[in-house]
Coordinates of all heavy atoms in Angstrom, one line a residue:
K31 N 121.3 89.6 119.7 CA 121.5 88.4 118.8 C 120.1 88.1 118.1 O 120.0 87.9 116.9 CB 122.1 87.3 119.4 CG 122.3 86.1 118.5 CD 122.9 84.9 119.3 CE 123.0 83.7 118.3 NZ 123.7 82.6 119.1
V43 N 113.7 86.6 103.7 CA 112.3 86.3 103.2 C 111.9 87.3 102.1 O 111.2 86.8 101.1 CB 111.3 86.5 104.5 CG1 109.8 86.7 104.0 CG2 111.4 85.4 105.4
S71 N 104.3 77.5 67.8 CA 103.0 77.9 67.5 C 102.5 78.9 68.6 O 103.0 78.8 69.7 CB 102.1 76.7 67.4 OG 101.9 76.1 68.7
S72 N 101.4 79.5 68.4 CA 100.8 80.4 69.4 C 100.3 79.6 70.6 O 100.5 80.0 71.7 CB 99.6 81.2 68.8 OG 100.0 82.0 67.8
A85 N 102.4 73.6 87.7 CA 103.5 73.2 88.6 C 103.1 73.5 90.0 O 103.2 72.7 91.0 CB 104.9 73.8 88.3
F86 N 102.5 74.8 90.2 CA 102.1 75.2 91.5 C 101.0 74.2 92.0 O 101.0 73.8 93.2 CB 101.6 76.6 91.5 CG 102.5 77.7 91.0 CD1 102.0 78.9 90.7 CD2 103.9 77.4 91.0 CE1 102.9 79.9 90.2 CE2 104.8 78.5 90.6 CZ 104.3 79.6 90.2
V93 N 104.4 69.9 99.4 CA 105.5 70.6 100.2 C 105.5 70.2 101.7 O 106.6 70.1 102.3 CB 105.3 72.2 100.0 CG1 106.3 72.9 100.8 CG2 105.5 72.5 98.5
R99 N 109.6 66.3 106.9 CA 110.9 65.4 107.0 C 112.1 66.1 107.2 O 113.1 65.8 107.9 CB 110.9 64.4 105.8 CG 112.0 63.4 105.9 CD 111.9 62.4 104.8 NE 113.0 61.4 104.9 CZ 113.1 60.3 104.1 NH1 112.2 60.1 103.1 NH2 114.1 59.5 104.2
A105 N 114.0 73.0 102.9 CA 113.0 73.1 101.8 C 113.2 74.3 101.0 O 113.1 74.3 99.8 CB 111.6 73.0 102.4
F129 N 110.5 74.7 78.0 CA 109.4 74.0 78.6 C 109.8 73.3 79.9 O 109.2 73.5 81.0 CB 108.6 73.1 77.6 CG 107.9 73.7 76.5 CD1 108.6 73.9 75.3 CD2 106.7 74.3 76.7 CE1 107.9 74.6 74.3 CE2 106.0 74.9 75.7 CZ 106.6 75.1 74.4
T132 N 111.0 75.9 82.5 CA 109.9 76.7 83.1 C 109.1 75.8 84.1 O 108.8 76.3 85.2 CB 109.0 77.1 82.0 OG1 109.7 78.0 81.1 CG2 107.8 77.9 82.6
L134 N 110.4 73.3 85.8 CA 111.3 73.0 87.0 C 111.4 74.3 87.8 O 111.3 74.2 89.1 CB 112.7 72.7 86.5 CG 113.7 72.0 87.4 CD1 113.1 70.7 88.0 CD2 115.0 71.7 86.7
I149 N 106.5 80.3 107.5 CA 107.7 80.8 108.2 C 107.4 82.2 108.9 O 107.9 82.4 110.0 CB 108.9 81.0 107.1 CG1 109.3 79.7 106.6 CG2 110.0 81.8 107.6 CD1 110.2 79.7 105.4
S153 N 107.8 82.6 112.9 CA 109.0 83.4 113.3 C 108.5 84.7 113.8 O 109.2 85.4 114.7 CB 109.9 83.5 112.2 OG 110.4 82.2 111.7
A168 N 106.8 92.8 97.7 CA 108.1 92.5 97.2 C 107.8 91.6 95.9 O 108.5 91.7 94.9 CB 108.9 91.7 98.1
L171 N 106.5 93.9 93.2 CA 107.6 94.8 92.7 C 108.4 94.2 91.6 O 108.6 94.7 90.6 CB 108.5 95.2 93.8 CG 109.7 96.1 93.5 CD1 109.2 97.4 92.8 CD2 110.5 96.4 94.8
A173 N 107.8 91.4 90.0 CA 106.9 91.0 88.8 C 106.9 92.1 87.9 O 107.0 91.9 86.6 CB 105.5 90.6 89.3
L199 N 119.7 86.5 90.9 CA 118.9 86.9 92.0 C 118.7 85.6 93.0 O 118.8 85.7 94.2 CB 117.6 87.4 91.6 CG 116.5 87.8 92.7 CD1 117.1 88.9 93.6 CD2 115.2 88.2 92.0
M286 N 96.7 96.4 102.3 CA 95.5 95.5 102.7 C 95.8 94.7 103.9 O 94.9 94.6 104.8 CB 95.2 94.6 101.5 CG 93.9 93.8 101.6 SD 92.5 95.1 101.7 CE 91.2 94.0 102.2
R297 N 85.7 90.1 107.2 CA 84.6 90.1 106.3 C 84.3 91.6 105.7 O 84.1 91.7 104.5 CB 83.3 89.6 106.9 CG 83.3 88.1 107.0 CD 82.1 87.6 107.7 NE 82.0 88.0 109.1 CZ 81.0 87.7 110.0 NH1 80.0 86.9 109.6 NH2 81.1 88.1 111.2
A300 N 87.0 92.6 103.2 CA 86.8 91.8 102.0 C 85.7 92.3 101.2 O 85.7 92.3 100.0 CB 86.6 90.3 102.4
I338 N 95.6 89.3 96.6 CA 96.6 88.2 96.9 C 97.2 88.4 98.3 O 97.4 87.4 99.0 CB 97.8 88.2 95.8 CG1 98.7 87.2 96.1 CG2 98.4 89.6 95.8 CD1 98.2 85.7 96.0
N351 N 98.8 77.7 114.3 CA 100.2 77.6 114.4 C 100.9 77.5 113.0 O 100.1 77.3 112.0 CB 100.6 76.4 115.3 CG 100.2 75.1 114.7 OD1 100.4 74.8 113.5 ND2 99.6 74.2 115.5
L368 N 95.2 75.6 90.3 CA 94.5 74.7 89.4 C 93.4 75.4 88.7 O 93.2 75.3 87.5 CB 94.1 73.4 90.0 CG 93.6 72.3 89.2 CD1 94.7 71.8 88.2 CD2 93.1 71.1 90.0
L383 N 85.3 82.9 70.0 CA 84.0 82.5 69.7 C 83.1 83.9 69.4 O 82.2 83.8 68.6 CB 83.2 81.7 70.7 CG 83.8 80.4 71.0 CD1 83.2 79.7 72.2 CD2 83.6 79.5 69.7
R415 N 91.1 73.8 113.6 CA 91.7 73.2 114.8 C 91.9 71.7 114.7 O 91.2 71.1 114.0 CB 90.9 73.5 116.1 CG 90.6 75.1 116.3 CD 89.9 75.3 117.6 NE 89.6 76.7 117.8 CZ 90.5 77.7 118.1 NH1 91.7 77.3 118.3 NH2 90.1 78.9 118.2

Side-chain angles (χ1 to χ4, degrees):
K31 183 179 179 180
V43 164
S71 67
S72 297
F86 299 165
V93 173
R99 183 170 182 178
F129 291 95
T132 299
L134 199 58
I149 290 171
S153 302
L171 174 62
L199 179 61
M286 192 65 192
R297 286 177 292 181
I338 183 62
N351 63 48
L368 191 61
L383 293 173
R415 301 187 185 282

